[in-house]
Amino acid sequence: MQGNKMLEELNIPKHVAIILDGNGRWAKSKGMPRNYGHIQGAKAVEVICEEAYKMGIQYLTVYAFSTENWNRPKDEVEALMKLLRNYLKTCLKTAEKNRMCVRVIGDKSQLDEDIRRRIGELEEATRDNDGLHFQIALNYGGRDEIVRAVKSLVRDTVAGAVRVEDISEESLGDILDTKGIPDPDLLIRTCNEQRISNFLLWQLAYTELYFTPVAWPDFTKEELVKAIEAYNMRDRRYGLVKGE
Ligand code: IPE
Ligand code: IPE
Ligand code: MG
């Protein structure tokens, strides 16, 4: 891609979701500990938030910690939680500057109390911002999200607040963590893996998938443009639906 003129000609997806992968392999390839990869990965998230919004992307969702990631070695989980604490602090400042509206999706109830408090403050402080809608998936699993939604639906049905005949794709979508957020148009996964790893199972039904060998800490604006160019080459039969 040469210059901004061509970027202007591209159809920019409204919502981009990213499975940021390869932090550990990236660090290892440099003879560094995995955590160094996570630190650089967090920096890449900040850069991409800014670049995505400049390009006209309205919603960006990143997979930061999955329900399965608790199974990693204790040291790594602790290091990730520490990094998350710092990241949430930085994110509050960045969000104020960029007018970003931040929402955390996933089961927050399993996170430490101080992390939940920081998330609450961040969501509250940024809720009316009119910039990028930035979703961070933390202790997120697509199956877990659906199970939580089904439980709440069954409770409401038993209590007589919802009639079984009234349950629809729309009403179920409205009790998922992503309520009010349009489904992703484009999913990017970095570092050569070609699977969904329990991310946004319901929401990705018609999303275009893009895989790149680039490891997440090396993911730049140029790589994002490449993904959008590939998205523009697809024959989107289903994409231009709801709200467009
Ligand atoms: C992605 O990088 C970040 C998280 C899942 C937290 P990885 O930690 O999965 O890195 P690899 O896949 O082992 O290289
Ligand atoms: C997916 O990456 C989860 C996140 C990016 C947070 P993983 O590296 O944990 O996924 P698998 O284990 O390779 O499927
Ligand atoms: Mg990985």
Side-chain angles (χ1 to χ4, degrees):
M1 152 91 37
Q2 300 290 320
N4 284 342
K5 190 165 182 295
M6 278 180 79
L7 182 59
E8 278 160 23
E9 285 163 9
L10 289 173
N11 170 25
I12 302 294
K14 188 170 183 176
H15 183 177
V16 175
I18 307 181
I19 302 177
L20 38 96
D21 201 10
N23 290 352
R25 278 165 281 170
W26 179 86
K28 194 176 172 210
S29 75
K30 297 189 150 25
M32 298 295 280
R34 290 179 63 82
N35 196 41
Y36 176 67
H38 294 316
I39 292 169
Q40 294 307 116
K43 289 185 186 163
V45 170
E46 282 184 54
V47 172
I48 293 303
C49 273
E50 206 167 325
E51 294 300 341
Y53 192 59
K54 278 198 229 155
M55 273 178 210
I57 292 167
Q58 296 173 47
Y59 295 83
L60 180 73
T61 303
V62 300
Y63 204 5
F65 192 89
S66 73
T67 45
E68 289 70 32
N69 286 151
W70 297 108
N71 299 326
R72 292 192 179 198
K74 194 164 167 272
D75 292 5
E76 183 169 351
V77 171
E78 275 171 13
L80 282 167
M81 291 299 144
K82 189 175 165 207
L83 185 61
L84 175 61
R85 287 181 169 90
N86 287 332
Y87 178 76
L88 291 171
K89 240 194 274 173
T90 321
C91 193
L92 187 57
K93 285 188 212 138
T94 333
E96 263 167 27
K97 200 176 89 197
N98 299 344
R99 305 217 35 83
M100 199 160 74
C101 169
V102 189
R103 195 199 291 186
V104 169
I105 60 168
D107 184 1
K108 290 178 255 192
S109 71
Q110 303 302 310
L111 298 169
D112 283 355
E113 209 275 320
D114 69 304
I115 295 184
R116 274 183 299 171
R117 187 168 31 80
R118 270 179 213 199
I119 291 171
E121 283 165 9
L122 180 60
E123 289 181 332
E124 187 54 40
T126 65
R127 66 185 317 147
D128 296 325
N129 283 354
D130 53 7
L132 178 74
H133 290 263
F134 179 47
Q135 291 68 238
I136 313 171
L138 285 178
N139 188 28
Y140 177 89
R143 288 180 175 178
D144 177 69
E145 179 187 38
I146 293 169
V147 169
R148 284 186 285 113
V150 168
K151 279 184 179 165
S152 113
L153 205 49
V154 171
R155 259 183 236 119
D156 287 351
T157 311
V158 170
V162 173
R163 295 187 319 165
V164 173
E165 316 74 271
D166 292 337
I167 299 173
S168 62
E169 290 187 13
E170 210 178 3
S171 72
L172 187 59
D174 272 350
I175 51 169
L176 295 176
D177 298 346
T178 48
K179 176 182 165 46
I181 296 168
D183 289 342
D185 305 289
L186 172 65
L187 172 82
I188 299 171
R189 182 166 188 157
T190 57
C191 211
N192 259 333
E193 306 301 343
Q194 305 201 355
R195 58 179 172 273
I196 301 300
S197 297
N198 205 9
F199 192 39
L200 300 175
L201 296 181
W202 173 277
Q203 299 85 345
L204 293 177
Y206 285 111
T207 303
E208 293 293 337
L209 310 179
Y210 175 84
F211 302 103
T212 168
V214 174
W216 176 250
D218 281 338
F219 196 86
T220 54
K221 176 193 170 184
E222 287 67 37
E223 297 301 329
L224 181 59
V225 172
K226 271 191 221 166
I228 296 173
E229 283 177 317
Y231 167 81
N232 273 253
M233 301 299 287
R234 308 275 172 93
D235 174 19
R236 301 260 304 148
R237 284 184 300 146
Y238 301 104
L240 305 172
V241 277
K242 281 182 198 166
E244 291 190 57

